């Protein structure tokens, strides 16, 4: 295959990776295609079977060795700890919150569903502390 076709193929795979939610699979195949394209351009891999062997080998080995560390480095797994860190933070009520009802609060620039953790109603504008998080609902006192 011509070197510039490998580069186009690699860039296409990188575009697929950018357009799909973070699995980090097409990324390594795209990089493998670009490396093979550069090797072909340098005259180091002329035979078609060698190009495909290099592409497959580079892609699979880099996927096996680098995918998990890359995902860990970018912290794409385990985002539940971020939600649990909301406990103890101050949230501002965007509307009156009666006991037992669901209202809205603002925290970290986002709107959240909230419930009153205390025995009485909470007025709009009240600044309360988050006591616990259940799903996407904050319990505020």
């Amino acid at each position: 295959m011509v070197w510039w076709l490998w580069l186009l193929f690699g860039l296409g795979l990188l575009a697929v990776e950018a357009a799909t939610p973070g699995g980090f699979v097409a990324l390594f195949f795209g990089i493998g295609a670009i490396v093979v394209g550069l090797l072909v351009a340098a005259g180091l891999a002329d035979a078609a079977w060698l190009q495909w062997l290099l592409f497959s080998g580079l892609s699979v080995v880099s996927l096996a060795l680098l995918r998990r560390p890359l995902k860990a480095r970018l912290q794409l797994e385990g985002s539940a700890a971020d939600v649990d860190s909301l406990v103890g933070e101050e949230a501002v009520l965007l509307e009156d919150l009666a006991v037992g009802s669901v209202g809205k609060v603002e925290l970290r620039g986002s709107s959240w569903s909230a419930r009153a953790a205390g025995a009485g109603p909470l007025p709009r504008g009240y600044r309360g502390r988050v006591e616990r998080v259940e799903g996407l609902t904050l319990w505020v006192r």
Side-chain angles (χ1 to χ4, degrees), residues 63-103:
L63 177 71
L65 294 178
L66 301 175
R67 182 173 183 254
R68 183 171 290 150
L70 180 63
K71 286 182 80 168
R73 175 86 175 182
L74 297 175
Q75 297 176 349
L76 295 177
E77 296 175 356
S79 62
D82 295 338
V83 173
D84 292 338
S85 71
L86 297 174
V87 175
E89 291 205 26
E90 190 175 272
V92 179
L93 269 72
L94 299 175
E95 55 191 47
D96 292 335
L97 185 60
V99 177
S101 68
V102 177

Side-chain angles (χ1 to χ4, degrees), residues 17-70:
E17 182 65 50
T20 57
F24 290 124
V25 175
L27 171 74
F28 296 106
F29 285 89
I31 292 171
I34 290 171
V35 169
V36 170
L38 294 174
L39 289 173
V40 171
L44 300 174
D46 291 332
W49 66 268
L50 179 60
Q51 294 173 21
W52 285 103
L53 181 68
L54 285 171
F55 168 68
S56 301
L58 288 171
S59 300
V60 171
V61 168
S62 63
L63 177 71
L65 294 178
L66 301 175
R67 182 173 183 254
R68 183 171 290 150
L70 180 63

Side-chain angles (χ1 to χ4, degrees), residues 116-136:
L122 302 174
R124 180 177 188 255
Y126 177 79
R127 294 181 177 275
R129 295 262 176 223
V130 176
E131 283 199 348
R132 69 180 188 262
V133 180
E134 288 182 5
L136 295 176

